[in-house]
Amino acid sequence: MSKNYGIIAAFDTVPDVFHACEQVRDAGYSQWDTITSFPIHGLDAAMGMRRSRVPRFSLAGGITGFCTGMSFIWWAGAYEYPLIVGGKPYFSPMFAFPVSYELTILFTAFATIFGMFFLNKLPMHYHPVLKAPQFVRALDDRFYIVIESADPKFNATETRALLQRAGGKDIVEIEE
């Protein structure tokens, strides 16, 4: 017997799914998502989503890259290959800046990509929502809300009733 993943409901128009998202958010659900074929302005606010944490990964990568570049040039100039040219010091931030700048960009890019993969739990080669019989229409002209059974407030009958009150159609349970 398959485990229940959650409940999916279809909506025909952008205002319908927008207002349904507000109702689901206000009902206190935390593990749910909206599936649309195009971005809908303001939907993240209607869903109650917080700001992304990816910029934190980017900042950490940038700081690490900058410090790595400065440290590398300092180590190379002061210890590995000390060379006095024209009375200049072993280390100067002016000379280390190009390397630090490039490593800042490189480490920021990698940290952003890996942070996004980590936070999105990627790569995910399969998702239970793909089993929903009507899911193909999400690529074209319908909008869906999926409430996961792992949500602490999830109760199949109450969740189904909430989605019906919100105007959901073709409400079905999805198996994992």
Side-chain angles (χ1 to χ4, degrees):
M1 176 153 178
S2 297
K3 184 181 171 197
N4 184 11
Y5 176 76
I7 295 180
I8 187 169
F11 298 87
D12 290 327
T13 65
V14 171
D16 290 345
V17 74
F18 193 89
H19 296 304
C21 285
E22 292 174 333
Q23 291 178 26
V24 172
R25 177 200 64 207
D26 294 343
Y29 288 94
S30 60
Q31 295 184 15
W32 61 285
D33 201 0
T34 303
I35 302 166
T36 64
S37 58
F38 54 86
I40 299 173
H41 180 70
L43 190 62
D44 50 350
M47 292 176 66
M49 294 180 69
R50 296 173 300 184
R51 185 178 163 97
S52 173
R53 293 180 298 203
V54 173
R56 295 176 187 170
F57 285 90
S58 302
L59 178 64
I63 291 170
T64 303
F66 183 79
C67 293
T68 300
M70 286 290 178
S71 300
F72 174 71
I73 297 300
W74 171 78
W75 170 78
Y79 287 104
E80 187 62 26
Y81 193 70
L83 182 62
I84 298 177
V85 177
K88 294 178 184 166
Y90 288 133
F91 173 75
S92 171
M94 297 301 290
F95 303 134
F97 184 76
V99 173
S100 298
Y101 178 74
E102 293 300 327
L103 287 179
T104 299
I105 293 169
L106 180 69
F107 282 35
T108 300
F110 282 131
T112 301
I113 291 168
F114 291 131
M116 187 250 336
F117 269 65
F118 174 74
L119 292 174
N120 292 332
K121 299 176 183 130
L122 294 175
M124 183 184 301
H125 302 293
Y126 167 76
H127 197 279
V129 173
L130 299 175
K131 277 186 176 180
Q134 70 271 35
F135 181 73
V136 174
R137 292 198 56 197
L139 303 174
D140 185 28
D141 64 346
R142 282 193 111 177
F143 310 97
Y144 294 92
I145 292 180
V146 179
I147 302 177
E148 299 178 17
S149 60
D151 192 292
K153 285 196 59 116
F154 185 85
N155 177 323
T157 55
E158 292 176 14
T159 303
R160 181 181 293 272
L162 170 69
L163 291 171
Q164 284 173 340
R165 282 192 310 272
K169 302 173 183 169
D170 301 331
I171 302 171
V172 294
E173 292 188 21
I174 305 171
E175 296 178 350
E176 265 193 55

